[in-house]
Amino acid sequence: MLALDASADPVLDFLLETPLVKDRSGTSLQRQLHQRIRGAILEGRLPSGARLPGSRALAASLKISRNSVTAVYELLGAEGYIAPSRQGTRVSLLERPAERPRTARHAAVPELARRAAQLRESTLAAGDTLPLRPGVPALARFPLSAWKRCLDRAVRDAGVAGLSYGNPQGELALREAIMRHLAVARGVRCEPEQIVITEGAQEALACCVRLVTNPGDTAWVEDPGYRGAKTAMACGDLDVVPMPVDENGLNIPETAWTAHTPRLIYTSPSHQYPTGAVLTAARRLDLIANAQRHGAWIVEDDYDSEYRHAGELVGAMQGLVPQAPVLYVGTFSKTLFPSLRLGFLVLPAALATPAAALLRETLRGGHRYEQLALAEFIESGQFSRHLGRMRRLYKRRQDALRAALKQYLDVPHVVAGGDSGMHLTIRLPADCSDERIAQAARAYDMAPMPLSRFALSARPENNGLVIGYGNTSESLFVPLIQRLAQLIRDEYPAGKTASSPTRKRRSA
Amino acid sequence: MLALDASADPVLDFLLETPLVKDRSGTSLQRQLHQRIRGAILEGRLPSGARLPGSRALAASLKISRNSVTAVYELLGAEGYIAPSRQGTRVSLLERPAERPRTARHAAVPELARRAAQLRESTLAAGDTLPLRPGVPALARFPLSAWKRCLDRAVRDAGVAGLSYGNPQGELALREAIMRHLAVARGVRCEPEQIVITEGAQEALACCVRLVTNPGDTAWVEDPGYRGAKTAMACGDLDVVPMPVDENGLNIPETAWTAHTPRLIYTSPSHQYPTGAVLTAARRLDLIANAQRHGAWIVEDDYDSEYRHAGELVGAMQGLVPQAPVLYVGTFSKTLFPSLRLGFLVLPAALATPAAALLRETLRGGHRYEQLALAEFIESGQFSRHLGRMRRLYKRRQDALRAALKQYLDVPHVVAGGDSGMHLTIRLPADCSDERIAQAARAYDMAPMPLSRFALSARPENNGLVIGYGNTSESLFVPLIQRLAQLIRDEYPAGKTASSPTRKRRSA
């Protein structure tokens, strides 16, 4: 009874075929035995009804403890592979799937959702720290140690209480700090109850879509414009209609209000992305009045207007008239650092209460130490001082970029934007492919973005480069723009027959 | 020319009506002047075409620097309120909106999206650190200082490079660490390219919906089940069909495959939430085969199966058969702490490449220091040790809870679950309102959840309490369950006429 003759039991024979050895990966003998039996059942080598050896016998044969065998049998039982019967333990996998296709319906060409398939990529892969990349602040100038001190204090002060989920709308202290900052810096009027802390601006946009739209609703986006807005709307299955932008910002044809009545309107009025246009006051008031008349909501993306270089800040639309139907979106990705992933949404007062249930159901709070650290960073005045320093820095960098463009870029072009923020947009002749230029620039470790990537409709004026100066040192602009100007010249048909070949040869 | 007589210019008169004073809020004179002029234009006191005083005159009258006035005029110009003309600067707000309704269409009852309106709240507000709250780990036992050291090291090692966006799928080091952990602990087979780091499990679920469904597609959820899954699917406008759960987990009627052919199937096979059932091997294989046959994707939520109390871990479905159509979702909210908000999604190998564009377009990376700290925490073995400690702790806590229930709960009930995780589910007689009991318990600072909140269909067996023991000290179970048992008795009609009133009087 104690030690069975192996050949008397084919199942035991099979289980003893290869010895169990403690391998380097540290898989325990017990786990190996479990995997071996389960594998044999799944492969059909131990068919349904096959009787397993007794735990004592198996343990003795394998030279492992009986407890280990019992534990494996218990687990296999819990998983439903084996079951006790009157004649001992048996494989109980009664119902094996009729077919187990090797090449499943998914394996060949997995079918993505329509919403997934329609998204092309907005960014050249990676390279988010390369010079001339738009949308990235001066990382090396961020006061990391001061920030770290705020974070350390938050961990110390909140202790283990900060480990739990927290308020789904975000820490109250942070919402209060943001409220005060917005009132002074942006003219935004709100209560902390209207503020929702989000995973960057992108989640704030998704939140707007979830809150006030239904699939099939019409949404207007700026063209050219921020692609993340279109993405958020496409993910909500909205019918996205591009609206043109001119030097005074979003320029809505009067007929659009009735032809494509919107439910949601996305705009970046204080510094249109990427053209840099400022939406005029008349257009702002008009937009608000029309939105009210047609029951539309405006999403105001105020992503970088703290960095105003010409004159004082332009106030936000949110505070322009009482009860403006504006959902205001902000982010700390540009004012602090991108990997912080903290943004916020300011709901209209009338929406705050009805939205509360959805917010609690879809958001989970979290990142509490970071939020508390940020509240402290703002309230202590460090945030304002950092903004002031960065504003001056970006002004100098913009000046350096402009000077370099003026000196080296000899292909006909127009420079747009620059009243605020961290990028300039240059428009290039239509036959001068911005995609190819950007691609060529990557070989020289520069990451300006092709303007056409921001455009939904192919128009000649949407050809050019969006050049970031936020994360590029002043001293680099001359060599970089010299090189970039040459790459542009190479793509400029007129230039190939003109003076540039000489220059090219000279610098080659 | 230098100092105008005030009465000669009504606009200047108006602007001088109230003196500008530096107020306590620190609003600069320049900003006050800007607000005053802009306000007057918006209110119509300075009508379109009105000529503004020259900057020199205004500066002298207001006793502020001329630069300040120039700056204000520049800003108003940029905002489009004023424009230079041949006869000086004029108000240029030509087109005022025809009407500016005081009570806008939004103001009265803002219309939320249908998807927003249909969500009721899943949680009793706040209280996520109260005893008996399910889904919260032992916060006080988290090794916060050890975690903090990992975080400090990540900041030190990565430096300012960690401030940028980073890989949208998450840090490679963390994805590799997760891959190794999952292979050993859960039998999940994958490459780092298949892993996406998400903002908790909730974003992973949203990601599944975005990737493989279209609006109107059918999605199956467990009933009773995790409400967050239904929320994610409702936000993606799927047709959510509840599927029953029994003591062997998700129990799909054979007819359902043709009657409601699903595109997505949500399940928590290793520890069904909240019933605690383990999906048997036969059902797992059946589910996979049927999903393959019908072109459905399975979302496997493996939220807390690291805490297996009975026997060895039950392996994940993901690794059960090659090319299983499984999107595997995990979270560190239960194994580390909720406010970390780090979860992950393991895509099927065949989906990884086609999904890459959508992931790069919808995710922004970020939280890089936290991700690097977590990679280090896992790779150094601290994570496994923490899991081992917590598993033992939760076993003791579950034993203490069971003992208290056995001793004090005299209303007829059934205890379910407990093979793993951090909660037990007790089923109560149908006429014993779990909502009212949970509400009453809140008055005593306890937060068990009503089982009916997890149910989509009102069935008598879906009445009871989901009791968490993760974040409750052993010593508390006796007093808490004594009190809770009394609250249950108060709600139990049969008990009101039987022995319990005596007890009630005794403990009152």
Side-chain angles (χ1 to χ4, degrees):
Chain A
M1 272 288 280
L2 267 174
L4 279 174
D5 176 52
S7 63
D9 184 344
V11 174
L12 185 57
D13 270 6
F14 162 71
L15 292 175
L16 298 176
E17 236 171 50
T18 338
L20 296 176
V21 273
K22 258 209 143 74
D23 62 0
R24 255 162 295 162
S25 72
T27 311
S28 70
L29 297 180
Q30 182 174 323
R31 189 183 298 272
Q32 287 183 50
L33 179 61
H34 172 250
Q35 287 169 349
R36 184 175 295 185
I37 299 179
R38 194 181 70 167
I41 294 172
L42 287 172
E43 288 159 17
R45 293 195 56 176
L46 289 185
S48 196
R51 196 168 68 86
L52 291 175
S55 59
R56 192 189 301 255
L58 185 57
S61 305
L62 287 168
K63 300 190 175 53
I64 62 175
S65 79
R66 187 168 170 204
N67 277 347
S68 295
V69 176
T70 314
V72 168
Y73 279 15
E74 270 173 15
L75 176 60
L76 289 167
E79 292 178 330
Y81 291 104
I82 60 173
S85 76
R86 226 175 292 177
Q87 297 87 25
T89 305
R90 288 186 182 278
V91 174
S92 68
L93 196 60
L94 294 174
E95 191 190 0
R96 296 195 57 209
E99 81 228 59
R100 292 245 298 284
R102 281 274 142 195
T103 313
R105 209 170 130 179
H106 297 287
V109 183
E111 195 188 334
L112 279 192
R114 283 192 301 276
R115 45 186 150 203
Q118 74 176 353
L119 295 172
R120 51 174 192 155
E121 281 179 67
S122 68
T123 50
L124 298 161
D128 64 357
T129 55
L130 289 180
L132 308 191
R133 175 69 136 76
V136 180
L139 301 178
R141 300 301 182 93
F142 180 73
L144 187 53
S145 340
W147 169 254
K148 194 64 181 30
R149 278 193 296 277
C150 289
L151 197 56
D152 291 347
R153 187 169 310 129
V155 173
R156 212 165 47 235
D157 292 352
V160 292
L163 296 170
S164 66
Y165 289 94
N167 190 321
Q169 281 191 227
E171 294 298 303
L172 182 60
L174 177 57
R175 287 183 285 133
E176 286 174 346
I178 289 174
M179 174 191 73
R180 283 188 281 266
H181 166 72
L182 289 180
V184 175
R186 309 295 305 123
V188 167
R189 314 166 193 180
C190 66
E191 298 298 320
E193 292 68 40
Q194 292 167 251
I195 300 181
V196 187
I197 309 298
T198 57
E199 177 79 353
Q202 201 57 32
E203 191 188 20
L205 295 177
C207 205
C208 294
V209 170
R210 277 201 297 270
L211 271 173
V212 299
T213 73
N214 293 308
D217 280 355
T218 297
W220 291 355
V221 294
E222 296 172 333
D223 184 23
Y226 174 55
R227 289 191 51 88
K230 178 175 180 277
T231 300
M233 288 163 190
C235 286
D237 303 293
L238 305 186
D239 179 19
V240 178
V241 177
M243 284 290 145
V245 165
D246 64 17
E247 66 283 5
N248 292 316
L250 189 60
N251 182 17
I252 301 166
E254 200 57 51
T255 53
W257 289 100
T258 43
H260 308 283
T261 311
R263 175 76 178 157
L264 206 64
I265 302 162
Y266 171 87
T267 182
S268 46
S270 300
H271 189 223
Q272 204 274 333
Y273 194 69
T275 69
V278 178
L279 192 66
T280 60
R283 287 196 186 169
R284 287 175 187 228
L285 293 168
D286 210 34
L287 181 56
I288 290 174
N290 270 316
Q292 286 178 324
R293 203 172 300 130
H294 291 95
W297 296 98
I298 298 165
V299 176
E300 175 177 24
D301 188 349
D302 208 23
Y303 63 103
D304 75 353
S305 25
E306 274 95 349
Y307 298 134
R308 181 94 191 153
H309 304 307
E312 209 176 341
L313 296 180
V314 178
M317 282 178 73
Q318 196 269 7
L320 197 56
V321 300
Q323 298 181 331
V326 169
L327 294 96
Y328 177 92
V329 170
T331 178
F332 291 99
S333 294
K334 316 298 176 193
T335 50
L336 292 177
F337 59 95
S339 80
L340 182 60
R341 300 303 306 129
L342 281 180
F344 54 89
L345 171 63
V346 181
L347 295 168
L351 263 190
T353 307
L358 177 115
L359 295 172
R360 274 197 287 269
E361 180 77 22
T362 53
L363 304 174
R364 293 282 181 279
H367 304 300
R368 300 181 68 183
Y369 299 125
E370 289 79 1
Q371 292 192 18
L372 293 169
L374 179 51
E376 152 94 8
F377 196 76
I378 297 173
E379 292 291 328
S380 62
Q382 295 177 81
F383 182 57
S384 295
R385 282 198 298 279
H386 175 63
L387 286 181
R389 273 193 303 267
M390 290 304 103
R391 193 156 36 220
R392 291 188 292 276
L393 176 72
Y394 296 149
K395 181 72 174 70
R396 288 199 301 276
R397 292 186 170 183
Q398 186 189 124
D399 291 345
L401 171 59
R402 279 187 191 276
L405 286 171
K406 200 168 173 184
Q407 188 171 359
Y408 298 104
L409 184 55
D410 47 11
V411 165
H413 67 276
V414 178
V415 179
D419 278 1
S420 69
M422 315 183 294
H423 72 270
L424 289 176
T425 294
I426 56 169
R427 291 199 158 85
L428 292 170
D431 48 4
C432 199
S433 161
D434 57 7
E435 279 282 351
R436 277 204 304 273
I437 296 168
Q439 207 59 58
R442 284 303 291 273
Y444 294 95
D445 282 336
M446 297 181 255
M449 299 262 281
L451 177 57
S452 59
R453 290 238 171 169
F454 297 86
L456 293 171
S457 50
R459 274 196 297 256
E461 68 266 31
N462 290 338
N463 189 59
L465 293 173
V466 182
I467 303 182
Y469 50 81
N471 196 31
T472 308
S473 307
E474 279 103 297
S475 61
L476 283 176
F477 288 111
V478 165
L480 290 174
I481 297 302
Q482 222 170 350
R483 171 68 67 185
L484 186 63
Q486 184 187 314
L487 298 174
I488 294 172
R489 217 176 292 126
D490 292 348
E491 283 294 331
Y492 184 51
K496 280 175 185 156
T497 57
S499 64
S500 37
T502 337
R503 278 192 173 218
K504 247 166 68 192
R505 243 172 284 132
R506 214 185 300 149
S507 58
Chain B
M1 272 288 279
L2 266 174
L4 279 173
D5 178 51
S7 61
D9 183 345
V11 174
L12 186 58
D13 269 7
F14 162 70
L15 292 174
L16 298 175
E17 234 173 48
T18 338
L20 296 176
V21 274
K22 255 209 148 72
D23 62 1
R24 255 161 297 162
S25 72
T27 310
S28 71
L29 296 179
Q30 184 175 322
R31 189 183 298 273
Q32 286 182 52
L33 179 62
H34 172 250
Q35 286 168 350
R36 183 176 295 185
I37 301 180
R38 194 181 70 166
I41 294 173
L42 287 173
E43 286 159 18
R45 293 196 56 177
L46 289 184
S48 197
R51 196 169 69 85
L52 289 175
S55 58
R56 191 188 301 256
L58 185 57
S61 305
L62 287 168
K63 299 188 175 53
I64 62 177
S65 79
R66 189 171 168 202
N67 277 347
S68 296
V69 175
T70 314
V72 167
Y73 279 14
E74 270 173 15
L75 176 60
L76 289 166
E79 292 177 330
Y81 290 102
I82 62 174
S85 76
R86 224 175 295 177
Q87 297 88 23
T89 304
R90 288 187 183 276
V91 173
S92 67
L93 196 58
L94 294 174
E95 189 189 1
R96 296 197 57 210
E99 79 231 56
R100 291 244 299 284
R102 282 274 141 195
T103 314
R105 208 171 131 180
H106 297 287
V109 183
E111 196 187 333
L112 278 193
R114 283 192 302 274
R115 44 187 152 204
Q118 73 176 353
L119 295 173
R120 49 172 195 158
E121 281 178 69
S122 67
T123 49
L124 297 160
D128 65 357
T129 55
L130 290 180
L132 308 191
R133 174 70 135 76
V136 180
L139 302 178
R141 300 300 182 93
F142 180 73
L144 186 52
S145 341
W147 170 254
K148 192 66 179 31
R149 277 193 298 275
C150 289
L151 197 56
D152 290 347
R153 186 168 312 130
V155 173
R156 209 166 49 234
D157 291 353
V160 292
L163 296 169
S164 66
Y165 288 95
N167 190 319
Q169 282 191 225
E171 294 299 303
L172 182 59
L174 177 56
R175 288 184 285 134
E176 286 174 345
I178 289 174
M179 175 193 71
R180 282 188 281 267
H181 167 72
L182 289 180
V184 174
R186 311 293 306 123
V188 168
R189 312 168 196 180
C190 66
E191 297 298 321
E193 292 67 39
Q194 291 168 252
I195 300 182
V196 188
I197 308 298
T198 57
E199 177 78 354
Q202 202 58 33
E203 192 188 19
L205 295 177
C207 206
C208 294
V209 170
R210 277 200 299 268
L211 272 174
V212 298
T213 74
N214 293 308
D217 279 355
T218 298
W220 292 355
V221 294
E222 296 173 332
D223 184 23
Y226 174 54
R227 287 190 53 85
K230 180 174 179 279
T231 300
M233 289 164 190
C235 287
D237 303 292
L238 305 186
D239 180 19
V240 178
V241 177
M243 285 291 144
V245 165
D246 64 18
E247 66 281 7
N248 292 316
L250 188 60
N251 183 17
I252 301 165
E254 200 56 51
T255 54
W257 289 100
T258 43
H260 308 283
T261 310
R263 176 78 177 154
L264 206 64
I265 303 162
Y266 171 86
T267 181
S268 45
S270 300
H271 189 223
Q272 204 274 332
Y273 195 70
T275 69
V278 178
L279 193 66
T280 60
R283 286 196 187 168
R284 287 175 187 225
L285 292 169
D286 210 34
L287 180 58
I288 290 174
N290 270 314
Q292 285 177 323
R293 203 172 300 130
H294 295 278
W297 295 98
I298 299 165
V299 176
E300 175 178 25
D301 188 350
D302 208 24
Y303 64 104
D304 75 353
S305 26
E306 274 96 349
Y307 298 135
R308 180 93 191 154
H309 303 309
E312 211 177 338
L313 297 180
V314 177
M317 282 178 73
Q318 197 268 6
L320 197 55
V321 300
Q323 297 181 333
V326 169
L327 294 96
Y328 178 91
V329 170
T331 177
F332 292 98
S333 294
K334 317 297 176 193
T335 50
L336 292 176
F337 58 94
S339 80
L340 182 60
R341 302 303 304 130
L342 282 180
F344 54 89
L345 170 62
V346 181
L347 296 169
L351 264 188
T353 307
L358 177 116
L359 295 172
R360 275 197 286 269
E361 180 77 24
T362 53
L363 303 174
R364 292 285 181 277
H367 304 301
R368 300 181 68 181
Y369 299 125
E370 289 79 1
Q371 292 192 19
L372 292 170
L374 180 50
E376 152 94 8
F377 197 75
I378 297 173
E379 291 290 329
S380 62
Q382 295 178 82
F383 182 56
S384 296
R385 283 198 296 280
H386 175 63
L387 286 181
R389 275 194 301 269
M390 291 304 104
R391 191 153 40 217
R392 291 187 292 276
L393 177 73
Y394 296 149
K395 182 72 175 70
R396 289 199 301 276
R397 291 185 171 182
Q398 186 190 124
D399 290 346
L401 171 58
R402 280 187 192 275
L405 286 170
K406 200 167 173 186
Q407 188 172 359
Y408 298 104
L409 184 54
D410 48 10
V411 164
H413 67 277
V414 178
V415 179
D419 278 2
S420 71
M422 314 185 294
H423 72 271
L424 290 176
T425 295
I426 57 170
R427 292 200 158 85
L428 292 169
D431 48 4
C432 199
S433 160
D434 58 7
E435 279 283 352
R436 278 206 302 274
I437 296 167
Q439 207 59 59
R442 285 303 292 272
Y444 293 97
D445 283 336
M446 296 180 256
M449 298 261 282
L451 177 57
S452 59
R453 291 237 172 167
F454 297 86
L456 293 171
S457 50
R459 274 197 296 257
E461 68 267 29
N462 290 338
N463 189 59
L465 293 173
V466 182
I467 304 182
Y469 51 80
N471 197 30
T472 308
S473 306
E474 279 102 298
S475 62
L476 282 177
F477 287 112
V478 164
L480 290 174
I481 297 302
Q482 224 170 351
R483 172 67 68 188
L484 186 63
Q486 185 186 314
L487 298 173
I488 295 171
R489 217 176 291 129
D490 292 349
E491 283 294 331
Y492 183 51
K496 278 175 184 158
T497 57
S499 65
S500 39
T502 339
R503 278 193 173 218
K504 247 167 67 190
R505 243 173 282 132
R506 219 185 296 146
S507 58

